[in-house]
Each structure stands twice: as C-alpha cells, then as structure tokens.
Amino acid sequence: MRTRTVAKGAGRTGRLSRAAPKIVYSAQGSLSDIDSDVEDRQRGGVQSIGRAFSILEEVARNRDGIGLADLSKRVGLHNSTTFHLVKTMVSLGYVRQTKDSKRYRIGRPLFALAASSLDEIEMVSLATPVLEDLSHDTGESGHFAVRMGDAIIVIARTAGPGAFQLADRVGVVRPAHCTALGKVILAALLPAQLDRFLERTELKVFTPKTITDRQTLRREIDEVRHTGIAFDDGEFDPEVRCIAMPVYDFTGQVMGALGISAPVWRVSIQALQGRGRTLKAAATRLSAEFGAPKGVAESAAG
C-alpha cells in the first residue's frame, strides 16, 4: 500500500514524497503526553467558556455598562485575558462597547436569542407550577396573561381547591382597561405608548364600575405603576374581583401579569389586599424563572 507523506521542504514547494511514513517519538515525551496535551486543551476550552459566561453575566448585571478594569476585577481575571475574551464577544455581537464611555453592554443578538427561545409553550410550562402553588395557598383561581395588541391574553390558569371556582379558559382575550391583569400591562408602557393606547382604544363599558374616562384611567394606571399592584373591582365582570402584579423577564422589563380572582360575594377588596404578599412572592418566583435580575421584582412590587 502506498502512503503519501509531506517531504522535507514540501512546505515551501508543495511537492509530495512517496517515502513510507514514520512515527517520530519526541525525546521529551511519548504518546501518553499527546493524550495529556489533548486533555489540557479540552480543559482550557471549558475554562474559556466558563470565563466567557462569567463575563456575559457580569455585563448583564450592569445595565449602565461596565468598563474593562471593573469587569476584570469582578470576574477575577487579568485585564488582558478579559480584553481578549470580551473582544471576541463584541465581534460576534453578543456584547457591544459604547463609543463615548467605552463601557461594555449586552448586545442585541443575545436578546433575540433569549426571546426566540421563550415561546408560549415554555412560558406556560414555567408559569403553571407557580400558579398551582398560588391557587393552593390562596384558595382562588390563578391567571397568567401577556399583552396581545391593545388587549391581554390569558395563557395559563389554575383553579383553587375550593368548591366555587371561576370558570375561565386558557386563550381567552380580555380588555386591558378594565382587568387587573391588563392594568399591570398598561402600567408598563412608556408615557407616549400609554397616550397612544388611550387615543386609539375604545374604553368599552362592561359593568357600571368600568372606567371609561381616560383621565381617570390614566390616574389609575399611574397608581398601579407606583404601587406595583392592580385591582379589578367588578369592572369587567360584576361578579368577580381580581388582583394582579407584574412579572419581569431577563431584561428587567414587564413581560406579563400574574393574578388571582374570586367571586365578589366571597372576597372583598380588603381580603384580596391581604393576599398581596402571597401574590408578590409568586410573581417574584415566576420572574426569577424568566431570568429577571435579582431584586427587580421585589423592589418593583414592594
């Protein structure tokens, strides 16, 4: 059998020799050393990946950006090591560097990657265990909703252990202006976004308690934004009262609302307020499941 090997000097001429190959043993090592070298390189690769993720996590924790010196100090690496790793991430777009301050911030591809992985099925799978515990602890129906245009859609729900429970289905679309879940979503809008919502949306009457005056609703939303908690006192269904709080995602922004509802003849607004601490704990827990920065949900819903 003929084997083609690179002849001496082939690196310069590109010509090949037909001489039989030889295994050359180094005077300083053996084949076992080669295995050790491979293992060392593998360990080095794992170490580099670990360092890269440490850098990403630290950059993500600093929403105003972070400089190279501070970043190196916090991840425990030499400036040159941090620089080479973060330079690669900048070239890939997962980290960006502001031109004026030279601070590093999370890049848009990372947001897109996270957003694309968090589809409705995954949101339901994360929300359902939290809702089950919430319903068990409060004895009431639990709901998790997200924005859908100018309305909200309930994508997960659970029933409490009591004999009398509100019948509502997953996938139902509800107005934002007269539901506790919807008010939480509206409170997360920027002022200009809320202005446009109020301009284009009909504040339809559902019950005698439905808020239809735009200035009154604006004050209500301001209060929700300030307190981190919203109520629906029979505004959508005259027989139902609700309480809701915001749920945050990995960017620290409101991505949904978590709430409980109960019949008006059984639960007063004061009773719902008394369950606020339990609801807050559930909203904080679900926010953590969605990757919210530590402390965001606690401070916002406090």
Side-chain angles (χ1 to χ4, degrees):
M1 180 180 68
R2 294 179 177 178
T3 304
R4 305 178 73 186
T5 61
V6 179
K8 183 177 181 181
R12 294 188 299 272
T13 65
R15 300 179 62 185
L16 299 176
S17 168
R18 298 183 184 274
K22 294 182 179 180
I23 298 176
V24 179
Y25 292 90
S26 169
Q28 298 179 345
S30 62
L31 289 178
S32 61
D33 293 327
I34 297 176
D35 291 337
S36 298
D37 290 342
V38 171
E39 292 175 359
D40 288 342
R41 286 195 296 271
Q42 290 174 340
R43 284 194 295 268
V46 172
Q47 185 182 53
S48 295
I49 293 173
R51 288 173 171 177
F53 275 104
S54 295
I55 290 172
L56 273 176
E57 290 171 355
E58 192 59 46
V59 172
R61 276 192 284 267
N62 292 267
R63 300 183 65 183
D64 294 328
I66 185 171
L68 178 63
D70 287 339
L71 179 59
S72 300
K73 182 178 180 180
R74 295 186 187 183
V75 298
L77 297 174
H78 192 275
N79 280 2
S80 61
T81 303
T82 304
F83 173 75
H84 288 297
L85 287 170
V86 78
K87 181 181 179 182
T88 300
M89 287 185 279
V90 169
S91 69
L92 295 172
Y94 291 102
V95 172
R96 60 189 177 91
Q97 188 177 32
T98 57
K99 293 182 178 180
D100 51 351
S101 66
K102 300 300 182 182
R103 288 174 171 266
Y104 294 106
R105 304 185 70 175
I106 291 297
R108 291 181 180 177
L110 193 62
F111 289 103
L113 185 65
S116 63
S117 68
L118 192 62
D119 58 18
E120 184 174 312
I121 294 176
E122 186 172 2
M123 285 194 286
V124 172
S125 68
L126 291 174
T128 299
V130 177
L131 283 170
E132 289 174 344
D133 289 343
L134 178 62
S135 291
H136 177 270
D137 293 340
T138 62
E140 306 299 347
S141 300
H143 310 270
F144 176 60
V146 296
R147 182 182 179 185
M148 190 178 78
D150 287 336
I152 61 167
I153 180 170
V154 177
I155 65 171
R157 72 171 297 275
T158 53
F164 298 97
Q165 294 295 318
L166 300 174
D168 206 355
R169 68 184 187 278
V170 170
V172 67
V173 177
R174 294 292 186 233
H177 71 283
C178 57
T179 58
L181 295 166
K183 291 175 185 177
V184 167
I185 301 299
L186 293 179
L189 298 178
L190 296 173
Q193 292 176 318
L194 181 59
D195 289 341
R196 290 193 292 272
F197 169 85
L198 293 174
E199 289 171 0
R200 67 174 176 260
T201 306
E202 177 189 2
L203 303 183
K204 186 178 178 180
V205 177
F206 291 92
T207 77
K209 290 188 174 182
T210 302
I211 299 176
T212 58
D213 179 74
R214 283 169 169 73
Q215 291 307 315
T216 302
L217 180 59
R218 188 188 298 276
R219 289 193 294 270
E220 176 101 354
I221 298 307
D222 287 342
E223 181 68 14
V224 174
R225 188 180 295 116
H226 176 70
T227 62
I229 186 169
F231 295 95
D232 162 15
D233 187 12
E235 298 165 41
F236 175 69
D237 184 329
E239 300 298 322
V240 178
R241 288 191 175 105
C242 306
I243 180 176
M245 288 186 178
V247 174
Y248 298 84
D249 64 12
F250 66 99
T251 69
Q253 303 299 311
V254 174
M255 55 84 65
L258 188 71
I260 57 174
S261 56
V264 296
W265 54 265
R266 189 179 67 200
V267 177
S268 65
I269 284 291
Q270 290 74 22
L272 282 179
Q273 289 174 330
R275 293 169 184 171
R277 181 171 296 182
T278 302
L279 178 59
K280 176 181 175 181
T284 300
R285 173 184 165 192
L286 186 54
S287 296
E289 291 289 340
F290 289 131
K294 189 174 181 181
V296 169
E298 293 94 327
S299 60

